[in-house]
């Protein structure tokens, strides 16, 4: 049985998401995007993805070819992308019942378990799992890491992918590999002083606070919450807790996962400071650092508040940033379902940037890293480091390619929410909701945004009186609702 329900309740939540498998996309651009990514996820060679892990942990690579781009054997943070594949495979299994994707996920997990089990022979500490030597963490802690690696960023991706395979497929092996790697993180960070940890966090570390909090939520073991809170980055959290905008000059996507972590930590602890950090970060970013399409950053960096109109360049709106802002928005919406502007933003960024991050002419759904906003600009621009145009099957593996796999396999995850018997309709997406807990099916039929209407058809146990809350977009005037004509 999949670990769909966290062991511990979430503080402050007043709207609840449906499980991925309860909402199915129907014919639309949304489904087309999911299908293209599904083609790629079914196609990709798992042994090529395992190459760096096996080589690093002194196991046979089985004659597999190496990857290029950001997963090449000499790239500093090789093995960052595999966790995204684990998540995407697991999400597609949950959303569509694709057993090929489930089987790829469980195969990769089993092979990662063999890598982890060979740590003694490889000269690594118990639980370690990555595509680069553990010595990079020695150098990180000593402040002398100079090879361009962001080691905890990679570990975060692996942890998150393993958690999702456990969460969505019920794999106890994924759970075991996850907890072994988390145990390594706990031992490694537990021996550092507070100031050592804070100094180390000047190197990008992804959402370590978020995933460790999630592990706490799923296991109920407070050890993981303690480990998560070691990754509370004071230089970023303190100004946000005071509602001060100090984003200018920061590498944008380094920050957003920390804010998601703050939201997760609030839900785990009830400590309102965490909630304030996440809420203030969202308000500041959306209010003063966001382009009209919902993305943020130019050349991957924040600028001064309200200055972005001067930066209509090729390298705007990095895809990862918007993926993470959508995750943050979803966390906040469950706390504040009355804030329609949260769902307004979610729609704006998803429709205007993330649906269009994918190349519709590519059957494998390859993506653009930046969504260019320069005059005459076009999508299909990769990063300065190992860039090009659209991503490729085996020679890109950028961060945005990884998050793109996740985005395009969970497109239905924020269409509907609920609270008790109230149904909340946030997005206008052709879809079928199976509200199993109530014996109700809701079918949404629309060609939005080409049209300005949507039809919701409810069948099943529809007796009695209950509420349906439908978002009226902030840009809409004269919106009307009719029931049964």
């Amino acid at each position: 049985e999949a670990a769909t329900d966290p062991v511990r309740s979430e503080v402050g939540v007043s709207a609840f998401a449906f499980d991925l498998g309860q909402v199915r996309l129907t014919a639309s651009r949304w489904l087309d995007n999911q299908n293209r990514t599904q083609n790629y996820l079914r196609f990709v060679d798992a042994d090529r993805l395992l190459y760096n892990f096996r080589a690093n942990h002194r196991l046979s690579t089985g004659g597999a070819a190496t990857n290029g781009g950001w997963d090449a054997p000499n790239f500093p943070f090789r093995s960052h992308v595999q966790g995204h594949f684990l998540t995407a495979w697991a999400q597609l299994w949950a959303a569509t019942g694709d057993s090929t994707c489930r089987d790829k996920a469980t195969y990769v997990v089993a092979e990662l378990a063999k890598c982890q089990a060979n740590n003694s022979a490889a000269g690594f500490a118990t639980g370690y799992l990555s595509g680069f030597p553990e010595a990079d963490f020695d150098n990180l802690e000593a402040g002398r890491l100079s090879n361009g690696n962001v080691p905890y960023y990679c570990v975060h991706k692996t942890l998150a992918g393993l958690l999702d395979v456990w969460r969505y497929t019920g794999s106890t092996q994924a759970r075991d590999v996850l907890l072994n790697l988390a145990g390594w993180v706990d031992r490694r960070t537990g021996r550092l002083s507070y100031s050592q940890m804070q100094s180390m966090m000047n190197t990008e570390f992804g959402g370590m606070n978020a995933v460790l909090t999630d592990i706490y939520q799923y296991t109920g073991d407070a050890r993981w919450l303690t480990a998560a809170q070691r990754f509370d980055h004071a230089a970023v959290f303190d100004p946000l807790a005071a509602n001060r905008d100090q984003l200018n000059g920061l590498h944008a996507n380094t920050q957003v996962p920390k804010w998601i972590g703050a939201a997760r930590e609030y839900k785990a602890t009830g400590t309102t400071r965490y909630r304030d950090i996440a809420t203030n970060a969202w308000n500041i970013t959306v209010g003063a650092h966001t382009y009209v399409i919902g993305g943020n950053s130019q050349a991957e960096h924040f600028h001064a508040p309200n200055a972005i109109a001067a930066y209509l360049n090729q390298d705007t709106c990095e895809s990862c940033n918007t993926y993470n802002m959508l995750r943050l928005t979803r966390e906040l919406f469950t706390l504040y379902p009355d804030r329609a502007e949260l769902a307004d933003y979610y729609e704006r960024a998803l429709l205007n940037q993330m649906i269009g991050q994918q190349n519709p002419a590519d059957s494998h759904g390859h993506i653009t890293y930046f969504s260019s906003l320069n005059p005459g600009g076009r999508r299909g621009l990769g990063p300065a480091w190992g860039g090009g145009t659209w991503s490729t099957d085996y020679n890109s593996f950028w961060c945005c390619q990884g998050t793109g796999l996740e985005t395009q396999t969970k497109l239905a995850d924020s269409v509907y929410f609920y609270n008790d018997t109230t149904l909340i309709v946030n997005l206008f997406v052709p879809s079928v909701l199976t509200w199993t807990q109530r014996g109700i099916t809701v079918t949404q039929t629309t060609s939005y945004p080409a049209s300005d209407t949507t039809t919701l058809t409810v069948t099943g146990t529809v007796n009695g009186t209950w509420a349906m809350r439908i978002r009226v977009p902030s840009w809409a005037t004269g919106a009307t609702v009719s029931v049964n004509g």
Side-chain angles (χ1 to χ4, degrees):
E1 180 183 331
T4 47
D5 294 312
V7 174
R8 307 189 67 78
S9 61
E10 302 203 332
V11 173
V13 171
S14 48
F16 299 88
F18 290 96
D19 290 341
L20 265 181
Q22 291 183 271
V23 184
R24 181 171 53 83
L25 298 174
T26 55
S28 61
R29 173 63 190 266
W30 308 76
L31 182 59
D32 292 344
N33 272 34
Q34 178 180 285
N35 287 341
R36 285 185 281 263
T37 298
Q38 186 170 8
N39 290 342
Y40 178 55
L41 287 165
R42 291 171 63 94
F43 153 85
V44 75
D45 182 352
D47 288 305
R48 290 187 69 160
L49 293 174
L50 284 161
Y51 182 96
N52 287 324
F53 282 98
R54 287 168 167 165
N56 189 47
H57 288 263
R58 304 293 186 268
L59 294 174
S60 168
T61 56
T66 58
N67 294 324
W70 290 18
D71 201 46
N74 60 349
F75 191 80
F77 47 99
R78 57 193 177 275
S79 75
H80 74 99
V81 80
Q82 287 76 1
H84 294 295
F85 277 95
L86 289 175
T87 291
W89 282 323
Q91 287 179 166
L92 264 183
W93 161 248
T96 70
D98 186 326
S99 57
T100 298
C101 287
R102 176 201 61 199
D103 293 349
K104 284 191 145 173
T106 53
Y107 170 71
V108 168
V109 167
E111 295 305 304
L112 292 177
K114 294 176 188 174
C115 293
Q116 204 174 45
N118 205 48
N119 274 343
S120 178
F124 301 147
T126 302
Y128 185 65
L129 183 61
S130 122
F132 47 82
E134 191 177 5
D136 279 15
F137 286 90
D138 299 332
N139 291 330
L140 175 70
E141 291 168 4
R144 59 172 185 257
L145 184 67
S146 59
N147 63 357
N149 195 4
V150 281
Y152 274 114
Y153 174 92
C154 300
V155 167
H156 164 240
K157 307 296 171 264
T158 305
L159 289 169
L162 291 164
L163 176 61
D164 285 335
V165 177
W166 175 31
R167 191 198 314 249
Y168 292 125
T169 76
S171 164
T172 53
Q173 187 168 42
R175 177 199 65 201
D176 294 346
V177 177
L178 168 74
L179 295 181
N180 284 336
L181 178 54
W184 174 86
V185 172
D186 179 38
R187 290 187 296 273
R188 186 98 208 186
T189 56
R191 63 194 192 202
L192 301 179
S193 69
Y194 176 81
S195 62
Q196 283 176 306
M197 270 304 292
Q198 292 299 317
S199 175
M200 192 175 72
M201 282 189 280
N202 292 324
T203 299
E204 186 173 11
F205 59 89
M208 287 297 298
N209 55 342
V211 72
L212 288 164
T213 301
D214 286 351
I215 295 170
Y216 161 67
Q217 291 285 54
Y218 275 87
T219 62
D221 186 343
R223 171 189 184 187
W224 309 121
L225 181 61
T226 300
Q229 292 177 312
R230 288 186 200 126
F231 287 93
D232 289 352
H233 193 189
V236 174
F237 278 12
D238 291 351
L240 288 169
N243 202 22
R244 292 200 312 272
D245 182 347
Q246 294 188 0
L247 301 184
N248 186 18
L250 293 182
H251 184 260
N253 191 51
T254 298
Q255 315 314 321
V256 190
K258 303 170 189 175
W259 309 340
I260 298 167
R264 301 299 300 141
E265 287 169 293
Y266 167 66
K267 291 176 180 181
T269 66
T271 303
T272 54
R273 184 175 190 268
Y274 285 129
R275 182 193 63 198
D276 294 345
I277 289 164
T279 305
N280 292 342
W282 190 93
N283 291 339
I284 287 168
T285 302
V286 174
H289 297 274
T290 295
Y291 293 100
V292 69
I293 67 168
N296 64 64
S297 80
Q298 181 267 321
E300 304 189 4
H301 285 70
F302 287 123
H303 291 291
N306 300 309
I308 58 163
Y311 297 94
L312 299 182
N313 297 15
Q314 277 192 299
D315 52 1
T316 50
C317 299
E318 182 187 349
S319 293
C320 278
N321 304 27
T322 305
Y323 154 86
N324 278 313
M325 283 300 296
L326 290 176
R327 292 190 62 180
L328 177 63
T329 303
R330 190 173 187 266
E331 291 291 339
L332 293 175
F333 182 81
T334 63
L335 298 174
Y336 305 112
D338 291 333
R339 284 189 63 184
E341 70 270 22
L342 289 164
D344 274 342
Y345 169 78
Y346 198 100
E347 172 187 71
R348 180 158 57 107
L350 189 62
L351 263 181
N352 287 301
Q353 184 177 351
M354 302 316 276
I355 291 296
Q357 78 164 165
Q358 191 191 81
N359 180 2
D362 186 310
S363 65
H364 284 175
H366 286 300
I367 58 93
T368 184
Y369 190 105
F370 297 111
S371 288
S372 303
L373 293 177
N374 59 309
R378 299 186 67 82
R379 298 198 177 186
L381 181 68
W385 194 3
T389 52
W390 302 97
S391 62
T392 59
D393 286 344
Y394 290 115
N395 287 303
S396 308
F397 294 118
W398 313 320
C399 53
C400 295
Q401 186 174 358
T403 54
L405 297 174
E406 295 192 33
T407 296
Q408 306 297 337
T409 53
K410 58 171 181 150
L411 290 169
D413 80 345
S414 296
V415 179
Y416 308 101
F417 292 82
Y418 69 94
N419 183 349
D420 193 27
T421 61
T422 297
L423 177 66
I424 303 167
V425 181
N426 269 2
L427 300 176
F428 309 116
V429 174
S431 54
V432 178
L433 163 66
T434 305
W435 197 348
T436 41
Q437 299 89 329
R438 296 193 59 202
I440 288 171
T441 299
V442 180
T443 303
Q444 184 169 185
T445 310
T446 183
S447 60
Y448 177 86
S451 71
D452 60 357
T453 61
T454 188
T455 302
L456 298 158
T457 306
V458 184
T459 56
T461 315
V462 292
N463 305 334
T465 301
W466 51 280
M468 186 185 294
R469 303 185 66 201
I470 301 166
R471 179 178 60 95
V472 178
S474 58
W475 46 259
T477 53
T480 59
V481 178
S482 63
V483 181
N484 295 339

